[in-house]
Amino acid sequence: MLSRIDRVTASSLGRPINRNYCENIAITAGGREHMLQIASLYFQAKPWEAKDMAEVMLDVAKTSLRVMQSDLDT
């Protein structure tokens, strides 16, 4: 089971699951700025309740819209 979790978190750069990572993270390495695009991965053992997943998706949608708005403002 642990190796499955490791494979899942590899795509989110080892970050915890069930978190919204829609905002990119900028880091500087080698004198250049790089954008990390971390996957927002949601997993749990039992099936998601519709209300719970709706709350997650609403948060993701609001974050995405805020990010796109900031791109339009520049």
Side-chain angles (χ1 to χ4, degrees), residues 1-2 4 9-10 12-13 18-20 25 27 29 31 33 35-38 43 51 54 58 60 63-66 70:
M1 185 64 159
L2 184 59
R4 288 187 190 129
T9 59
S12 64
L13 304 176
N18 299 331
R19 303 254 173 95
N20 179 351
I25 298 171
I27 63 165
E33 184 174 90
M35 288 297 240
L36 300 179
Q37 297 175 332
I38 301 169
F43 293 90
K51 180 180 180 278
L58 181 59
V60 168
T63 303
S64 297
L65 289 170
R66 189 177 67 248
S70 68

